[in-house]
Amino acid sequence: MMPVFMVTTNDLPGYRITQVLGEVMGLTVRSVNFGQGFTAGFRAMGGGEIPEYTQIMYESRNEVMNRMWGEAVQRGANAIVGMRFDTDSIGSFSEVCAYGTAVVVEPLAAQQASAPAPIG
């Protein structure tokens, strides 16, 4: 079974892109619950990291990556190249989007093994 890839680069060393299936994305909009918001408000007064918000962003990034990967697999991809994140806020909500290009890749070694031997 070939591994699956999701990379921020535009290519995969050792692999060749055989098909480009188009842009894929995953999106979520989140809010904190009352308890998290209340606790985070107190933490913000003291400065430093706000673990409640860090956890929400971590979960959001994982969610959008999973959604994007699901869309890529539906199209027949085994890799996503050029993957990026975008974040924004809508009032008190946070939006996280992951996007990239769904592709089909094959190992270069497989191509070389199946190529006819040179005559000579």
Side-chain angles (χ1 to χ4, degrees):
M1 180 176 184
M2 193 170 106
V4 294
F5 299 99
M6 189 180 317
V7 298
T8 58
T9 57
N10 292 324
D11 58 2
L12 287 165
Y15 291 83
R16 180 175 81 98
I17 295 174
T18 60
Q19 286 183 285
V20 175
L21 303 173
E23 183 181 12
V24 288
M25 66 173 259
L27 178 71
T28 188
V29 177
R30 301 264 178 119
S31 68
V32 295
N33 67 37
F34 178 76
Q36 288 172 316
F38 187 76
T39 304
F42 277 111
R43 287 188 201 270
M45 286 189 250
E49 182 177 7
I50 304 171
E52 293 80 10
Y53 290 149
T54 300
Q55 183 64 32
I56 288 170
M57 294 307 291
Y58 182 77
E59 290 169 0
S60 296
R61 286 172 66 109
N62 282 332
E63 182 66 33
V64 298
M65 286 173 56
N66 286 331
R67 288 178 181 175
M68 178 179 58
W69 183 251
E71 185 178 333
V73 168
Q74 276 188 314
R75 293 188 190 188
N78 64 357
I80 296 173
V81 295
M83 196 275 288
R84 302 286 187 266
F85 286 106
D86 187 30
T87 60
D88 201 356
S89 61
I90 305 168
S92 62
F93 305 111
S94 68
E95 171 198 10
V96 179
C97 179
Y99 60 95
T101 303
V103 297
V104 175
V105 297
E106 66 180 34
L108 289 175
Q111 283 180 336
Q112 295 166 352
S114 64
I119 300 175

